mmCIF file of all heavy atoms in Angstrom:
data_model
loop_
_atom_site.group_PDB
_atom_site.id
_atom_site.type_symbol
_atom_site.label_atom_id
_atom_site.label_comp_id
_atom_site.label_asym_id
_atom_site.label_seq_id
_atom_site.Cartn_x
_atom_site.Cartn_y
_atom_site.Cartn_z
ATOM 1 N N ARG Z 1168 -2.759 94.354 -107.833
ATOM 2 C CA ARG Z 1168 -1.414 94.481 -107.266
ATOM 3 C C ARG Z 1168 -0.731 93.135 -107.010
ATOM 4 O O ARG Z 1168 0.449 93.112 -106.654
ATOM 5 C CB ARG Z 1168 -1.474 95.246 -105.944
ATOM 6 C CG ARG Z 1168 -1.866 96.697 -106.100
ATOM 7 C CD ARG Z 1168 -1.833 97.407 -104.770
ATOM 8 N NE ARG Z 1168 -2.188 98.821 -104.884
ATOM 9 C CZ ARG Z 1168 -2.334 99.647 -103.856
ATOM 10 N NH1 ARG Z 1168 -2.148 99.203 -102.620
ATOM 11 N NH2 ARG Z 1168 -2.647 100.905 -104.057
ATOM 12 N N TYR Z 1169 -1.464 92.036 -107.188
ATOM 13 C CA TYR Z 1169 -0.915 90.753 -106.757
ATOM 14 C C TYR Z 1169 -0.870 89.718 -107.871
ATOM 15 O O TYR Z 1169 -1.794 89.622 -108.688
ATOM 16 C CB TYR Z 1169 -1.739 90.190 -105.603
ATOM 17 C CG TYR Z 1169 -1.615 91.025 -104.364
ATOM 18 C CD1 TYR Z 1169 -2.517 92.056 -104.100
ATOM 19 C CD2 TYR Z 1169 -0.577 90.809 -103.460
ATOM 20 C CE1 TYR Z 1169 -2.382 92.849 -102.972
ATOM 21 C CE2 TYR Z 1169 -0.450 91.596 -102.328
ATOM 22 C CZ TYR Z 1169 -1.351 92.617 -102.100
ATOM 23 O OH TYR Z 1169 -1.220 93.398 -100.986
ATOM 24 N N ALA Z 1170 0.212 88.944 -107.852
ATOM 25 C CA ALA Z 1170 0.258 87.756 -108.693
ATOM 26 C C ALA Z 1170 -0.811 86.772 -108.224
ATOM 27 O O ALA Z 1170 -1.190 86.764 -107.051
ATOM 28 C CB ALA Z 1170 1.636 87.106 -108.609
ATOM 29 N N MET Z 1171 -1.264 85.967 -109.149
ATOM 30 C CA MET Z 1171 -2.279 84.959 -108.846
ATOM 31 C C MET Z 1171 -1.807 83.600 -109.360
ATOM 32 O O MET Z 1171 -1.069 83.524 -110.352
ATOM 33 C CB MET Z 1171 -3.615 85.313 -109.490
ATOM 34 C CG MET Z 1171 -4.249 86.590 -108.984
ATOM 35 S SD MET Z 1171 -4.725 86.496 -107.250
ATOM 36 C CE MET Z 1171 -5.965 85.209 -107.301
ATOM 37 N N ASN Z 1172 -2.238 82.560 -108.692
ATOM 38 C CA ASN Z 1172 -1.765 81.221 -109.002
ATOM 39 C C ASN Z 1172 -2.934 80.239 -109.077
ATOM 40 O O ASN Z 1172 -3.955 80.423 -108.406
ATOM 41 C CB ASN Z 1172 -0.823 80.730 -107.904
ATOM 42 C CG ASN Z 1172 0.230 81.757 -107.554
ATOM 43 O OD1 ASN Z 1172 0.956 82.236 -108.411
ATOM 44 N ND2 ASN Z 1172 0.311 82.110 -106.272
ATOM 45 N N TRP Z 1173 -2.727 79.207 -109.861
ATOM 46 C CA TRP Z 1173 -3.615 78.035 -109.850
ATOM 47 C C TRP Z 1173 -2.797 76.829 -109.388
ATOM 48 O O TRP Z 1173 -1.685 76.611 -109.867
ATOM 49 C CB TRP Z 1173 -4.173 77.751 -111.240
ATOM 50 C CG TRP Z 1173 -5.272 78.653 -111.661
ATOM 51 C CD1 TRP Z 1173 -5.181 79.746 -112.485
ATOM 52 C CD2 TRP Z 1173 -6.663 78.534 -111.325
ATOM 53 N NE1 TRP Z 1173 -6.414 80.316 -112.665
ATOM 54 C CE2 TRP Z 1173 -7.352 79.592 -111.965
ATOM 55 C CE3 TRP Z 1173 -7.396 77.645 -110.540
ATOM 56 C CZ2 TRP Z 1173 -8.719 79.768 -111.842
ATOM 57 C CZ3 TRP Z 1173 -8.763 77.824 -110.424
ATOM 58 C CH2 TRP Z 1173 -9.417 78.875 -111.069
ATOM 59 N N TYR Z 1174 -3.379 76.085 -108.481
ATOM 60 C CA TYR Z 1174 -2.817 74.823 -108.015
ATOM 61 C C TYR Z 1174 -3.838 73.727 -108.269
ATOM 62 O O TYR Z 1174 -5.014 73.992 -108.497
ATOM 63 C CB TYR Z 1174 -2.542 74.872 -106.507
ATOM 64 C CG TYR Z 1174 -1.307 75.623 -106.091
ATOM 65 C CD1 TYR Z 1174 -1.283 77.012 -106.069
ATOM 66 C CD2 TYR Z 1174 -0.158 74.936 -105.693
ATOM 67 C CE1 TYR Z 1174 -0.151 77.698 -105.658
ATOM 68 C CE2 TYR Z 1174 0.974 75.609 -105.284
ATOM 69 C CZ TYR Z 1174 0.970 77.006 -105.266
ATOM 70 O OH TYR Z 1174 2.093 77.665 -104.865
ATOM 71 N N ARG Z 1175 -3.393 72.495 -108.156
ATOM 72 C CA ARG Z 1175 -4.310 71.361 -108.215
ATOM 73 C C ARG Z 1175 -3.839 70.276 -107.264
ATOM 74 O O ARG Z 1175 -2.656 70.198 -106.939
ATOM 75 C CB ARG Z 1175 -4.439 70.816 -109.635
ATOM 76 C CG ARG Z 1175 -3.196 70.138 -110.176
ATOM 77 C CD ARG Z 1175 -3.412 69.738 -111.632
ATOM 78 N NE ARG Z 1175 -2.251 69.025 -112.184
ATOM 79 C CZ ARG Z 1175 -2.148 68.670 -113.461
ATOM 80 N NH1 ARG Z 1175 -3.125 68.974 -114.318
ATOM 81 N NH2 ARG Z 1175 -1.070 68.035 -113.885
ATOM 82 N N GLN Z 1176 -4.797 69.468 -106.849
ATOM 83 C CA GLN Z 1176 -4.473 68.338 -105.976
ATOM 84 C C GLN Z 1176 -5.304 67.142 -106.383
ATOM 85 O O GLN Z 1176 -6.543 67.192 -106.344
ATOM 86 C CB GLN Z 1176 -4.711 68.687 -104.516
ATOM 87 C CG GLN Z 1176 -4.225 67.628 -103.561
ATOM 88 C CD GLN Z 1176 -4.132 68.124 -102.132
ATOM 89 O OE1 GLN Z 1176 -4.774 69.100 -101.753
ATOM 90 N NE2 GLN Z 1176 -3.317 67.465 -101.314
ATOM 91 N N ALA Z 1177 -4.613 66.094 -106.775
ATOM 92 C CA ALA Z 1177 -5.259 64.836 -107.133
ATOM 93 C C ALA Z 1177 -5.326 63.954 -105.897
ATOM 94 O O ALA Z 1177 -4.525 64.106 -104.962
ATOM 95 C CB ALA Z 1177 -4.477 64.157 -108.248
ATOM 96 N N PRO Z 1178 -6.262 63.004 -105.874
ATOM 97 C CA PRO Z 1178 -6.386 62.121 -104.702
ATOM 98 C C PRO Z 1178 -5.076 61.413 -104.385
ATOM 99 O O PRO Z 1178 -4.435 60.847 -105.277
ATOM 100 C CB PRO Z 1178 -7.459 61.131 -105.134
ATOM 101 C CG PRO Z 1178 -8.260 61.863 -106.157
ATOM 102 C CD PRO Z 1178 -7.284 62.743 -106.883
ATOM 103 N N GLY Z 1179 -4.659 61.484 -103.146
ATOM 104 C CA GLY Z 1179 -3.454 60.797 -102.723
ATOM 105 C C GLY Z 1179 -2.156 61.466 -103.108
ATOM 106 O O GLY Z 1179 -1.073 60.910 -102.868
ATOM 107 N N LYS Z 1180 -2.254 62.659 -103.702
ATOM 108 C CA LYS Z 1180 -1.047 63.363 -104.139
ATOM 109 C C LYS Z 1180 -0.966 64.731 -103.450
ATOM 110 O O LYS Z 1180 -1.950 65.258 -102.952
ATOM 111 C CB LYS Z 1180 -1.055 63.546 -105.659
ATOM 112 C CG LYS Z 1180 -0.973 62.238 -106.427
ATOM 113 C CD LYS Z 1180 -0.751 62.491 -107.903
ATOM 114 C CE LYS Z 1180 -0.563 61.193 -108.665
ATOM 115 N NZ LYS Z 1180 -0.316 61.419 -110.114
ATOM 116 N N GLU Z 1181 0.240 65.291 -103.481
ATOM 117 C CA GLU Z 1181 0.440 66.622 -102.916
ATOM 118 C C GLU Z 1181 -0.110 67.695 -103.856
ATOM 119 O O GLU Z 1181 -0.237 67.473 -105.070
ATOM 120 C CB GLU Z 1181 1.933 66.857 -102.672
ATOM 121 C CG GLU Z 1181 2.514 65.980 -101.575
ATOM 122 C CD GLU Z 1181 3.933 66.375 -101.215
ATOM 123 O OE1 GLU Z 1181 4.494 67.266 -101.877
ATOM 124 O OE2 GLU Z 1181 4.471 65.782 -100.262
ATOM 125 N N ARG Z 1182 -0.410 68.848 -103.259
ATOM 126 C CA ARG Z 1182 -0.873 69.968 -104.073
ATOM 127 C C ARG Z 1182 0.259 70.414 -104.998
ATOM 128 O O ARG Z 1182 1.413 70.536 -104.578
ATOM 129 C CB ARG Z 1182 -1.322 71.111 -103.169
ATOM 130 C CG ARG Z 1182 -2.174 72.139 -103.856
ATOM 131 C CD ARG Z 1182 -2.877 73.048 -102.861
ATOM 132 N NE ARG Z 1182 -3.913 72.331 -102.110
ATOM 133 C CZ ARG Z 1182 -4.821 72.944 -101.367
ATOM 134 N NH1 ARG Z 1182 -4.805 74.270 -101.239
ATOM 135 N NH2 ARG Z 1182 -5.725 72.240 -100.723
ATOM 136 N N GLU Z 1183 -0.091 70.682 -106.248
ATOM 137 C CA GLU Z 1183 0.886 70.949 -107.309
ATOM 138 C C GLU Z 1183 0.606 72.319 -107.926
ATOM 139 O O GLU Z 1183 -0.556 72.632 -108.249
ATOM 140 C CB GLU Z 1183 0.753 69.849 -108.382
ATOM 141 C CG GLU Z 1183 1.535 70.067 -109.642
ATOM 142 C CD GLU Z 1183 1.172 69.082 -110.746
ATOM 143 O OE1 GLU Z 1183 0.087 68.468 -110.668
ATOM 144 O OE2 GLU Z 1183 1.945 68.951 -111.688
ATOM 145 N N LEU Z 1184 1.668 73.109 -108.118
ATOM 146 C CA LEU Z 1184 1.516 74.394 -108.789
ATOM 147 C C LEU Z 1184 1.280 74.173 -110.281
ATOM 148 O O LEU Z 1184 2.059 73.477 -110.936
ATOM 149 C CB LEU Z 1184 2.763 75.249 -108.574
ATOM 150 C CG LEU Z 1184 2.760 76.628 -109.242
ATOM 151 C CD1 LEU Z 1184 1.638 77.494 -108.706
ATOM 152 C CD2 LEU Z 1184 4.107 77.306 -109.038
ATOM 153 N N VAL Z 1185 0.208 74.773 -110.799
ATOM 154 C CA VAL Z 1185 -0.152 74.613 -112.207
ATOM 155 C C VAL Z 1185 0.307 75.813 -113.031
ATOM 156 O O VAL Z 1185 0.914 75.651 -114.092
ATOM 157 C CB VAL Z 1185 -1.677 74.438 -112.343
ATOM 158 C CG1 VAL Z 1185 -2.093 74.408 -113.805
ATOM 159 C CG2 VAL Z 1185 -2.133 73.175 -111.631
ATOM 160 N N ALA Z 1186 -0.013 77.023 -112.554
ATOM 161 C CA ALA Z 1186 0.290 78.214 -113.343
ATOM 162 C C ALA Z 1186 0.338 79.442 -112.445
ATOM 163 O O ALA Z 1186 -0.326 79.492 -111.414
ATOM 164 C CB ALA Z 1186 -0.762 78.413 -114.437
ATOM 165 N N ILE Z 1187 1.131 80.406 -112.898
ATOM 166 C CA ILE Z 1187 1.322 81.679 -112.181
ATOM 167 C C ILE Z 1187 1.143 82.805 -113.182
ATOM 168 O O ILE Z 1187 1.597 82.691 -114.331
ATOM 169 C CB ILE Z 1187 2.740 81.780 -111.601
ATOM 170 C CG1 ILE Z 1187 3.054 80.621 -110.657
ATOM 171 C CG2 ILE Z 1187 2.956 83.106 -110.912
ATOM 172 C CD1 ILE Z 1187 4.517 80.530 -110.279
ATOM 173 N N ILE Z 1188 0.541 83.900 -112.744
ATOM 174 C CA ILE Z 1188 0.452 85.085 -113.587
ATOM 175 C C ILE Z 1188 0.795 86.316 -112.752
ATOM 176 O O ILE Z 1188 0.347 86.445 -111.607
ATOM 177 C CB ILE Z 1188 -0.936 85.212 -114.251
ATOM 178 C CG1 ILE Z 1188 -0.952 86.353 -115.267
ATOM 179 C CG2 ILE Z 1188 -2.047 85.368 -113.217
ATOM 180 C CD1 ILE Z 1188 -2.146 86.312 -116.211
ATOM 181 N N GLY Z 1189 1.608 87.197 -113.338
ATOM 182 C CA GLY Z 1189 1.994 88.413 -112.654
ATOM 183 C C GLY Z 1189 0.834 89.378 -112.480
ATOM 184 O O GLY Z 1189 -0.240 89.192 -113.052
ATOM 185 N N SER Z 1190 1.070 90.399 -111.682
ATOM 186 C CA SER Z 1190 -0.018 91.298 -111.304
ATOM 187 C C SER Z 1190 -0.653 92.019 -112.498
ATOM 188 O O SER Z 1190 -1.864 92.262 -112.492
ATOM 189 C CB SER Z 1190 0.478 92.329 -110.294
ATOM 190 O OG SER Z 1190 1.541 93.085 -110.839
ATOM 191 N N ASP Z 1191 0.151 92.306 -113.515
ATOM 192 C CA ASP Z 1191 -0.402 92.992 -114.689
ATOM 193 C C ASP Z 1191 -0.676 92.044 -115.847
ATOM 194 O O ASP Z 1191 -1.049 92.484 -116.943
ATOM 195 C CB ASP Z 1191 0.531 94.114 -115.147
ATOM 196 C CG ASP Z 1191 1.874 93.600 -115.650
ATOM 197 O OD1 ASP Z 1191 2.104 92.376 -115.588
ATOM 198 O OD2 ASP Z 1191 2.699 94.419 -116.096
ATOM 199 N N GLY Z 1192 -0.479 90.769 -115.620
ATOM 200 C CA GLY Z 1192 -0.729 89.776 -116.651
ATOM 201 C C GLY Z 1192 0.396 89.620 -117.653
ATOM 202 O O GLY Z 1192 0.300 88.813 -118.577
ATOM 203 N N GLY Z 1193 1.463 90.379 -117.461
ATOM 204 C CA GLY Z 1193 2.534 90.371 -118.444
ATOM 205 C C GLY Z 1193 3.481 89.198 -118.357
ATOM 206 O O GLY Z 1193 4.244 88.936 -119.286
ATOM 207 N N SER Z 1194 3.466 88.495 -117.245
ATOM 208 C CA SER Z 1194 4.357 87.339 -117.092
ATOM 209 C C SER Z 1194 3.554 86.142 -116.619
ATOM 210 O O SER Z 1194 2.657 86.266 -115.775
ATOM 211 C CB SER Z 1194 5.471 87.660 -116.092
ATOM 212 O OG SER Z 1194 4.937 87.914 -114.816
ATOM 213 N N THR Z 1195 3.878 85.000 -117.187
ATOM 214 C CA THR Z 1195 3.213 83.757 -116.814
ATOM 215 C C THR Z 1195 4.248 82.651 -116.714
ATOM 216 O O THR Z 1195 5.332 82.729 -117.320
ATOM 217 C CB THR Z 1195 2.146 83.349 -117.838
ATOM 218 O OG1 THR Z 1195 2.749 83.192 -119.122
ATOM 219 C CG2 THR Z 1195 1.035 84.390 -117.938
ATOM 220 N N ASN Z 1196 3.904 81.632 -115.961
ATOM 221 C CA ASN Z 1196 4.762 80.458 -115.866
ATOM 222 C C ASN Z 1196 3.880 79.258 -115.589
ATOM 223 O O ASN Z 1196 2.805 79.394 -114.982
ATOM 224 C CB ASN Z 1196 5.797 80.633 -114.754
ATOM 225 C CG ASN Z 1196 7.053 79.810 -114.992
ATOM 226 O OD1 ASN Z 1196 7.091 78.999 -115.918
ATOM 227 N ND2 ASN Z 1196 8.059 80.015 -114.171
ATOM 228 N N TYR Z 1197 4.343 78.074 -116.023
ATOM 229 C CA TYR Z 1197 3.517 76.880 -115.956
ATOM 230 C C TYR Z 1197 4.306 75.698 -115.419
ATOM 231 O O TYR Z 1197 5.515 75.594 -115.617
ATOM 232 C CB TYR Z 1197 2.992 76.528 -117.353
ATOM 233 C CG TYR Z 1197 2.111 77.602 -117.933
ATOM 234 C CD1 TYR Z 1197 2.648 78.601 -118.742
ATOM 235 C CD2 TYR Z 1197 0.744 77.631 -117.662
ATOM 236 C CE1 TYR Z 1197 1.842 79.611 -119.258
ATOM 237 C CE2 TYR Z 1197 -0.070 78.627 -118.176
ATOM 238 C CZ TYR Z 1197 0.485 79.612 -118.963
ATOM 239 O OH TYR Z 1197 -0.305 80.599 -119.467
ATOM 240 N N GLY Z 1198 3.565 74.799 -114.792
ATOM 241 C CA GLY Z 1198 4.157 73.534 -114.420
ATOM 242 C C GLY Z 1198 4.474 72.711 -115.660
ATOM 243 O O GLY Z 1198 3.786 72.833 -116.690
ATOM 244 N N ALA Z 1199 5.473 71.877 -115.556
ATOM 245 C CA ALA Z 1199 5.939 71.116 -116.720
ATOM 246 C C ALA Z 1199 4.843 70.234 -117.304
ATOM 247 O O ALA Z 1199 4.767 70.043 -118.520
ATOM 248 C CB ALA Z 1199 7.152 70.282 -116.334
ATOM 249 N N SER Z 1200 3.981 69.714 -116.454
ATOM 250 C CA SER Z 1200 2.969 68.759 -116.926
ATOM 251 C C SER Z 1200 1.847 69.427 -117.718
ATOM 252 O O SER Z 1200 1.107 68.735 -118.420
ATOM 253 C CB SER Z 1200 2.381 68.002 -115.742
ATOM 254 O OG SER Z 1200 1.767 68.894 -114.836
ATOM 255 N N VAL Z 1201 1.723 70.747 -117.642
ATOM 256 C CA VAL Z 1201 0.625 71.424 -118.338
ATOM 257 C C VAL Z 1201 1.113 72.412 -119.393
ATOM 258 O O VAL Z 1201 0.308 72.962 -120.150
ATOM 259 C CB VAL Z 1201 -0.300 72.161 -117.345
ATOM 260 C CG1 VAL Z 1201 -0.794 71.209 -116.262
ATOM 261 C CG2 VAL Z 1201 0.367 73.387 -116.733
ATOM 262 N N LYS Z 1202 2.406 72.635 -119.451
ATOM 263 C CA LYS Z 1202 2.948 73.627 -120.387
ATOM 264 C C LYS Z 1202 2.572 73.271 -121.821
ATOM 265 O O LYS Z 1202 2.676 72.109 -122.238
ATOM 266 C CB LYS Z 1202 4.467 73.695 -120.228
ATOM 267 C CG LYS Z 1202 5.125 74.914 -120.862
ATOM 268 C CD LYS Z 1202 6.600 75.010 -120.492
ATOM 269 C CE LYS Z 1202 6.794 75.288 -119.023
ATOM 270 N NZ LYS Z 1202 8.219 75.510 -118.677
ATOM 271 N N GLY Z 1203 2.080 74.250 -122.552
ATOM 272 C CA GLY Z 1203 1.661 74.031 -123.930
ATOM 273 C C GLY Z 1203 0.209 73.633 -124.071
ATOM 274 O O GLY Z 1203 -0.332 73.640 -125.183
ATOM 275 N N ARG Z 1204 -0.441 73.272 -122.962
ATOM 276 C CA ARG Z 1204 -1.848 72.871 -123.008
ATOM 277 C C ARG Z 1204 -2.750 73.827 -122.227
ATOM 278 O O ARG Z 1204 -3.916 74.007 -122.596
ATOM 279 C CB ARG Z 1204 -2.018 71.470 -122.427
ATOM 280 C CG ARG Z 1204 -1.259 70.402 -123.175
ATOM 281 C CD ARG Z 1204 -1.618 69.000 -122.662
ATOM 282 N NE ARG Z 1204 -1.234 68.804 -121.260
ATOM 283 C CZ ARG Z 1204 -2.095 68.495 -120.294
ATOM 284 N NH1 ARG Z 1204 -3.385 68.323 -120.561
ATOM 285 N NH2 ARG Z 1204 -1.674 68.328 -119.051
ATOM 286 N N PHE Z 1205 -2.225 74.417 -121.178
ATOM 287 C CA PHE Z 1205 -3.011 75.312 -120.321
ATOM 288 C C PHE Z 1205 -2.563 76.749 -120.530
ATOM 289 O O PHE Z 1205 -1.389 77.020 -120.833
ATOM 290 C CB PHE Z 1205 -2.816 74.963 -118.848
ATOM 291 C CG PHE Z 1205 -3.459 73.682 -118.401
ATOM 292 C CD1 PHE Z 1205 -3.937 72.740 -119.302
ATOM 293 C CD2 PHE Z 1205 -3.580 73.409 -117.040
ATOM 294 C CE1 PHE Z 1205 -4.520 71.550 -118.872
ATOM 295 C CE2 PHE Z 1205 -4.156 72.234 -116.593
ATOM 296 C CZ PHE Z 1205 -4.620 71.300 -117.511
ATOM 297 N N GLY Z 1206 -3.493 77.685 -120.336
ATOM 298 C CA GLY Z 1206 -3.173 79.104 -120.413
ATOM 299 C C GLY Z 1206 -3.816 79.854 -119.264
ATOM 300 O O GLY Z 1206 -5.011 79.706 -119.012
ATOM 301 N N ILE Z 1207 -3.024 80.648 -118.560
ATOM 302 C CA ILE Z 1207 -3.548 81.467 -117.465
ATOM 303 C C ILE Z 1207 -3.675 82.901 -117.951
ATOM 304 O O ILE Z 1207 -2.819 83.399 -118.696
ATOM 305 C CB ILE Z 1207 -2.648 81.369 -116.207
ATOM 306 C CG1 ILE Z 1207 -3.295 82.068 -115.021
ATOM 307 C CG2 ILE Z 1207 -1.236 81.898 -116.488
ATOM 308 C CD1 ILE Z 1207 -2.569 81.824 -113.689
ATOM 309 N N SER Z 1208 -4.736 83.563 -117.543
ATOM 310 C CA SER Z 1208 -4.958 84.963 -117.899
ATOM 311 C C SER Z 1208 -5.728 85.637 -116.771
ATOM 312 O O SER Z 1208 -6.218 84.965 -115.850
ATOM 313 C CB SER Z 1208 -5.719 85.080 -119.219
ATOM 314 O OG SER Z 1208 -6.997 84.476 -119.121
ATOM 315 N N ARG Z 1209 -5.823 86.956 -116.852
ATOM 316 C CA ARG Z 1209 -6.555 87.681 -115.817
ATOM 317 C C ARG Z 1209 -7.200 88.918 -116.421
ATOM 318 O O ARG Z 1209 -6.729 89.453 -117.428
ATOM 319 C CB ARG Z 1209 -5.625 88.071 -114.665
ATOM 320 C CG ARG Z 1209 -4.538 89.050 -115.015
ATOM 321 C CD ARG Z 1209 -3.516 89.177 -113.883
ATOM 322 N NE ARG Z 1209 -4.095 89.781 -112.682
ATOM 323 C CZ ARG Z 1209 -3.567 89.661 -111.462
ATOM 324 N NH1 ARG Z 1209 -2.461 88.952 -111.279
ATOM 325 N NH2 ARG Z 1209 -4.136 90.264 -110.432
ATOM 326 N N ASP Z 1210 -8.266 89.344 -115.776
ATOM 327 C CA ASP Z 1210 -8.944 90.582 -116.146
ATOM 328 C C ASP Z 1210 -9.000 91.441 -114.884
ATOM 329 O O ASP Z 1210 -9.811 91.173 -113.991
ATOM 330 C CB ASP Z 1210 -10.343 90.280 -116.679
ATOM 331 C CG ASP Z 1210 -11.049 91.518 -117.203
ATOM 332 O OD1 ASP Z 1210 -10.673 92.644 -116.819
ATOM 333 O OD2 ASP Z 1210 -11.997 91.374 -117.984
ATOM 334 N N ASN Z 1211 -8.133 92.437 -114.812
ATOM 335 C CA ASN Z 1211 -8.061 93.254 -113.611
ATOM 336 C C ASN Z 1211 -9.263 94.192 -113.464
ATOM 337 O O ASN Z 1211 -9.465 94.756 -112.392
ATOM 338 C CB ASN Z 1211 -6.759 94.050 -113.572
ATOM 339 C CG ASN Z 1211 -5.576 93.173 -113.212
ATOM 340 O OD1 ASN Z 1211 -5.732 92.010 -112.821
ATOM 341 N ND2 ASN Z 1211 -4.369 93.709 -113.353
ATOM 342 N N THR Z 1212 -10.056 94.334 -114.516
ATOM 343 C CA THR Z 1212 -11.283 95.131 -114.393
ATOM 344 C C THR Z 1212 -12.405 94.306 -113.752
ATOM 345 O O THR Z 1212 -13.370 94.863 -113.236
ATOM 346 C CB THR Z 1212 -11.753 95.654 -115.753
ATOM 347 O OG1 THR Z 1212 -12.182 94.555 -116.560
ATOM 348 C CG2 THR Z 1212 -10.653 96.413 -116.462
ATOM 349 N N LYS Z 1213 -12.262 92.992 -113.805
ATOM 350 C CA LYS Z 1213 -13.282 92.104 -113.244
ATOM 351 C C LYS Z 1213 -12.786 91.352 -112.013
ATOM 352 O O LYS Z 1213 -13.517 90.512 -111.469
ATOM 353 C CB LYS Z 1213 -13.735 91.094 -114.298
ATOM 354 C CG LYS Z 1213 -14.423 91.732 -115.504
ATOM 355 C CD LYS Z 1213 -14.882 90.678 -116.497
ATOM 356 C CE LYS Z 1213 -15.602 91.318 -117.669
ATOM 357 N NZ LYS Z 1213 -16.040 90.309 -118.674
#
């Protein structure tokens, strides 16, 4: 039922949003620095 997110935090830097995925996996969005290189996915059965 819930969207899920990945964030990251490098030393000395603020926490940064990396990727978002909707509850059914049908929508995704990425931070500019990782777009085209990272992929978010989910398995709602697991």
Side-chain angles (χ1 to χ4, degrees):
R1168 293 183 179 175
Y1169 293 92
M1171 296 295 296
N1172 312 305
W1173 283 100
Y1174 283 77
R1175 69 184 182 186
Q1176 188 165 22
K1180 295 190 176 181
E1181 292 189 355
R1182 197 166 291 193
E1183 171 190 19
L1184 179 62
V1185 174
I1187 302 169
I1188 187 165
S1190 59
D1191 65 357
S1194 63
T1195 59
N1196 206 352
Y1197 298 92
S1200 60
V1201 306
K1202 195 172 293 185
R1204 299 188 297 121
F1205 289 14
I1207 188 171
S1208 61
R1209 65 190 294 160
D1210 185 339
N1211 285 351
T1212 68
K1213 296 181 178 179

